[in-house]
Amino acid sequence: MQTKHNWTKEEILNIYNKPFLDLVFEAATVHRENKDYSEVQISSLISIKTGGCPEDCSYCPQAARYHTDVEVQAMMKVDEVIEIAQKAKDGGASRLCMGAAWREVRDNRDFDKVIDMVKAVNGMDMEVCCTLGMLNAHQAQRLADAGLYAYNHNLDTSEEDYKRIISTRTYDDRLKTIENVRKAKLTVCSGGIIGLGETVNDRVAMLRVLANMPQHPESVPVNALVPVKGTPLAEQPRVPIWDMVRMIATARIIMPKTAVRLSAGRNEMSVLDQAFCFMAGANSIFAGDKLLTTPNPEFKDDMAMFELLGLTTRKAFKNGRPQGKEEVTQ
Ligand code: SAM
Ligand code: DTB
Ligand code: SF4
């Protein structure tokens, strides 16, 4: 089946608002037609530079202007990253995502260090992903040349709602970085957060931007807000599981080939909640006892869940390496 890139708002809204069980059934059907539905990709997160970020993203515990319990930490050493990557690999992760609390990448020694980290983890035969804020075309190319597999850059909400959540950059800045990532032939990981106080129209509008890109993102993370004390969104109520399932199912139906990641918020979900998300087409998670700064279920509990649900873990590089990359052996 060919993927579609001209979704209207009404089409997506009609999918999102279907009777719950019809929606899950349709998403599960699309999932089974397009993917090995029992295979789940495991990504592990490392915060290589924590806290002190100049941006004002109102959900984020790492923004310097909010008084949260996150302590600013200097950039990690390459050896530390290798050690954590090995543990993640041993635990079953096929991808390692390195996050930095930066507004944007600067051409300095810290970026050189990230390049070294990318080379090292790529050499361990894991897919390497980075999320470092805004990038120009040259920086995206440097990451690609070092062996980066994916770049994560979320849209978070709709263009209309963006100013309510973040004032220090624009939606267009976000889209421009995603374009630079595409030009460097990296795979794109881009999604958003629900539970920010957005409307269903905002959720649908964000999904429409992703689904109408000339090429669908290879991964779409769906995060449930983790409300953190000290941030402006600390008092937001928890996202109902029904909304999380609707969001995942809609993403699965409109982007059938994409990896839809059940991302932040799993620590508050039961195994049954998560089972519904997998049924609705989620086929990727972040595993490891920490996301960037907030808790996540333990590896062993996730493995017990996989066993219970009959899920298996996806191997690295199943779709080959991004164009132009040589096979790297350990
Ligand atoms: N600084 C870079 C950036 O903003 O692109 C990379 C790191 S940033 C922490 C990565 C993503 O984490 C954000 O785009 C947002 O979607 C997600 N995130 C941050 N805080 C969150 C929270 N409290 N709950 C859920 N997702 C969150
Ligand atoms: C994504 O979409 N979610 C991850 C990853 N990409 C970088 C981050 C979630 C962060 C949750 C809050 C924290 O742990 O600081
Ligand atoms: Fe900084 Fe990223 Fe957090 Fe925004 S989401 S404050 S850019 S670390």
Side-chain angles (χ1 to χ4, degrees), residues 275-289:
F276 249 101
C277 294
F278 293 124
M279 189 72 195
N283 63 337
S284 172
I285 57 167
F286 285 119
D289 54 5

PDB file of all heavy atoms in Angstrom, residues 275-289:
ATOM      1  N   ALA A 275      -0.610  -2.596  26.806  1.00  0.00           N
ATOM      2  CA  ALA A 275      -1.028  -3.634  25.842  1.00  0.00           C
ATOM      3  C   ALA A 275      -1.980  -3.022  24.816  1.00  0.00           C
ATOM      4  O   ALA A 275      -1.894  -3.309  23.618  1.00  0.00           O
ATOM      5  CB  ALA A 275      -1.693  -4.788  26.580  1.00  0.00           C
ATOM      6  N   PHE A 276      -2.870  -2.157  25.278  1.00  0.00           N
ATOM      7  CA  PHE A 276      -3.793  -1.493  24.352  1.00  0.00           C
ATOM      8  C   PHE A 276      -3.031  -0.604  23.364  1.00  0.00           C
ATOM      9  O   PHE A 276      -3.380  -0.538  22.188  1.00  0.00           O
ATOM     10  CB  PHE A 276      -4.842  -0.674  25.121  1.00  0.00           C
ATOM     11  CG  PHE A 276      -6.205  -1.275  25.004  1.00  0.00           C
ATOM     12  CD1 PHE A 276      -6.740  -2.038  26.023  1.00  0.00           C
ATOM     13  CD2 PHE A 276      -6.955  -1.093  23.841  1.00  0.00           C
ATOM     14  CE1 PHE A 276      -7.985  -2.616  25.898  1.00  0.00           C
ATOM     15  CE2 PHE A 276      -8.208  -1.661  23.706  1.00  0.00           C
ATOM     16  CZ  PHE A 276      -8.724  -2.429  24.736  1.00  0.00           C
ATOM     17  N   CYS A 277      -1.988   0.053  23.862  1.00  0.00           N
ATOM     18  CA  CYS A 277      -1.177   0.901  22.967  1.00  0.00           C
ATOM     19  C   CYS A 277      -0.496   0.033  21.900  1.00  0.00           C
ATOM     20  O   CYS A 277      -0.443   0.410  20.725  1.00  0.00           O
ATOM     21  CB  CYS A 277      -0.135   1.683  23.759  1.00  0.00           C
ATOM     22  SG  CYS A 277      -0.844   2.902  24.877  1.00  0.00           S
ATOM     23  N   PHE A 278       0.016  -1.138  22.281  1.00  0.00           N
ATOM     24  CA  PHE A 278       0.656  -2.030  21.300  1.00  0.00           C
ATOM     25  C   PHE A 278      -0.391  -2.547  20.304  1.00  0.00           C
ATOM     26  O   PHE A 278      -0.139  -2.642  19.108  1.00  0.00           O
ATOM     27  CB  PHE A 278       1.370  -3.200  21.991  1.00  0.00           C
ATOM     28  CG  PHE A 278       2.559  -2.775  22.821  1.00  0.00           C
ATOM     29  CD1 PHE A 278       2.652  -3.111  24.171  1.00  0.00           C
ATOM     30  CD2 PHE A 278       3.596  -2.025  22.262  1.00  0.00           C
ATOM     31  CE1 PHE A 278       3.747  -2.712  24.943  1.00  0.00           C
ATOM     32  CE2 PHE A 278       4.685  -1.623  23.026  1.00  0.00           C
ATOM     33  CZ  PHE A 278       4.753  -1.961  24.365  1.00  0.00           C
ATOM     34  N   MET A 279      -1.570  -2.871  20.831  1.00  0.00           N
ATOM     35  CA  MET A 279      -2.659  -3.341  19.954  1.00  0.00           C
ATOM     36  C   MET A 279      -3.006  -2.255  18.931  1.00  0.00           C
ATOM     37  O   MET A 279      -3.290  -2.542  17.767  1.00  0.00           O
ATOM     38  CB  MET A 279      -3.875  -3.640  20.851  1.00  0.00           C
ATOM     39  CG  MET A 279      -4.989  -4.321  20.158  1.00  0.00           C
ATOM     40  SD  MET A 279      -4.518  -6.018  19.835  1.00  0.00           S
ATOM     41  CE  MET A 279      -5.755  -6.439  18.653  1.00  0.00           C
ATOM     42  N   ALA A 280      -2.965  -0.990  19.383  1.00  0.00           N
ATOM     43  CA  ALA A 280      -3.337   0.138  18.529  1.00  0.00           C
ATOM     44  C   ALA A 280      -2.208   0.548  17.584  1.00  0.00           C
ATOM     45  O   ALA A 280      -2.335   1.543  16.876  1.00  0.00           O
ATOM     46  CB  ALA A 280      -3.752   1.319  19.391  1.00  0.00           C
ATOM     47  N   GLY A 281      -1.098  -0.204  17.599  1.00  0.00           N
ATOM     48  CA  GLY A 281      -0.071   0.052  16.596  1.00  0.00           C
ATOM     49  C   GLY A 281       1.247   0.594  17.105  1.00  0.00           C
ATOM     50  O   GLY A 281       2.149   0.851  16.307  1.00  0.00           O
ATOM     51  N   ALA A 282       1.390   0.771  18.416  1.00  0.00           N
ATOM     52  CA  ALA A 282       2.704   1.201  18.911  1.00  0.00           C
ATOM     53  C   ALA A 282       3.679   0.047  18.676  1.00  0.00           C
ATOM     54  O   ALA A 282       3.350  -1.111  18.953  1.00  0.00           O
ATOM     55  CB  ALA A 282       2.634   1.540  20.398  1.00  0.00           C
ATOM     56  N   ASN A 283       4.862   0.341  18.150  1.00  0.00           N
ATOM     57  CA  ASN A 283       5.838  -0.741  17.940  1.00  0.00           C
ATOM     58  C   ASN A 283       7.242  -0.296  18.314  1.00  0.00           C
ATOM     59  O   ASN A 283       8.236  -0.781  17.759  1.00  0.00           O
ATOM     60  CB  ASN A 283       5.789  -1.276  16.511  1.00  0.00           C
ATOM     61  CG  ASN A 283       6.157  -0.239  15.480  1.00  0.00           C
ATOM     62  OD1 ASN A 283       6.047   0.956  15.737  1.00  0.00           O
ATOM     63  ND2 ASN A 283       6.612  -0.683  14.326  1.00  0.00           N
ATOM     64  N   SER A 284       7.298   0.624  19.274  1.00  0.00           N
ATOM     65  CA  SER A 284       8.594   1.069  19.762  1.00  0.00           C
ATOM     66  C   SER A 284       8.405   1.676  21.153  1.00  0.00           C
ATOM     67  O   SER A 284       7.337   2.221  21.447  1.00  0.00           O
ATOM     68  CB  SER A 284       9.145   2.110  18.774  1.00  0.00           C
ATOM     69  OG  SER A 284      10.308   2.698  19.278  1.00  0.00           O
ATOM     70  N   ILE A 285       9.427   1.535  21.990  1.00  0.00           N
ATOM     71  CA  ILE A 285       9.383   2.158  23.329  1.00  0.00           C
ATOM     72  C   ILE A 285      10.774   2.692  23.679  1.00  0.00           C
ATOM     73  O   ILE A 285      11.766   2.311  23.053  1.00  0.00           O
ATOM     74  CB  ILE A 285       8.967   1.164  24.455  1.00  0.00           C
ATOM     75  CG1 ILE A 285       9.919  -0.051  24.499  1.00  0.00           C
ATOM     76  CG2 ILE A 285       7.527   0.739  24.326  1.00  0.00           C
ATOM     77  CD1 ILE A 285       9.768  -0.893  25.771  1.00  0.00           C
ATOM     78  N   PHE A 286      10.807   3.556  24.679  1.00  0.00           N
ATOM     79  CA  PHE A 286      12.074   3.897  25.333  1.00  0.00           C
ATOM     80  C   PHE A 286      12.183   2.974  26.541  1.00  0.00           C
ATOM     81  O   PHE A 286      11.261   2.929  27.362  1.00  0.00           O
ATOM     82  CB  PHE A 286      12.074   5.349  25.830  1.00  0.00           C
ATOM     83  CG  PHE A 286      12.249   6.360  24.732  1.00  0.00           C
ATOM     84  CD1 PHE A 286      11.278   7.311  24.481  1.00  0.00           C
ATOM     85  CD2 PHE A 286      13.410   6.374  23.967  1.00  0.00           C
ATOM     86  CE1 PHE A 286      11.445   8.249  23.477  1.00  0.00           C
ATOM     87  CE2 PHE A 286      13.581   7.312  22.948  1.00  0.00           C
ATOM     88  CZ  PHE A 286      12.601   8.250  22.709  1.00  0.00           C
ATOM     89  N   ALA A 287      13.265   2.226  26.633  1.00  0.00           N
ATOM     90  CA  ALA A 287      13.435   1.353  27.796  1.00  0.00           C
ATOM     91  C   ALA A 287      14.682   1.777  28.563  1.00  0.00           C
ATOM     92  O   ALA A 287      15.564   2.436  28.021  1.00  0.00           O
ATOM     93  CB  ALA A 287      13.542  -0.098  27.364  1.00  0.00           C
ATOM     94  N   GLY A 288      14.742   1.368  29.815  1.00  0.00           N
ATOM     95  CA  GLY A 288      15.822   1.789  30.711  1.00  0.00           C
ATOM     96  C   GLY A 288      15.162   2.569  31.827  1.00  0.00           C
ATOM     97  O   GLY A 288      14.137   3.228  31.599  1.00  0.00           O
ATOM     98  N   ASP A 289      15.740   2.517  33.051  1.00  0.00           N
ATOM     99  CA  ASP A 289      14.998   3.030  34.202  1.00  0.00           C
ATOM    100  C   ASP A 289      14.860   4.552  34.255  1.00  0.00           C
ATOM    101  O   ASP A 289      14.243   5.098  35.156  1.00  0.00           O
ATOM    102  CB  ASP A 289      15.560   2.460  35.507  1.00  0.00           C
ATOM    103  CG  ASP A 289      17.049   2.707  35.622  1.00  0.00           C
ATOM    104  OD1 ASP A 289      17.605   3.400  34.742  1.00  0.00           O
ATOM    105  OD2 ASP A 289      17.657   2.212  36.585  1.00  0.00           O
TER     106      ASP A 289
END
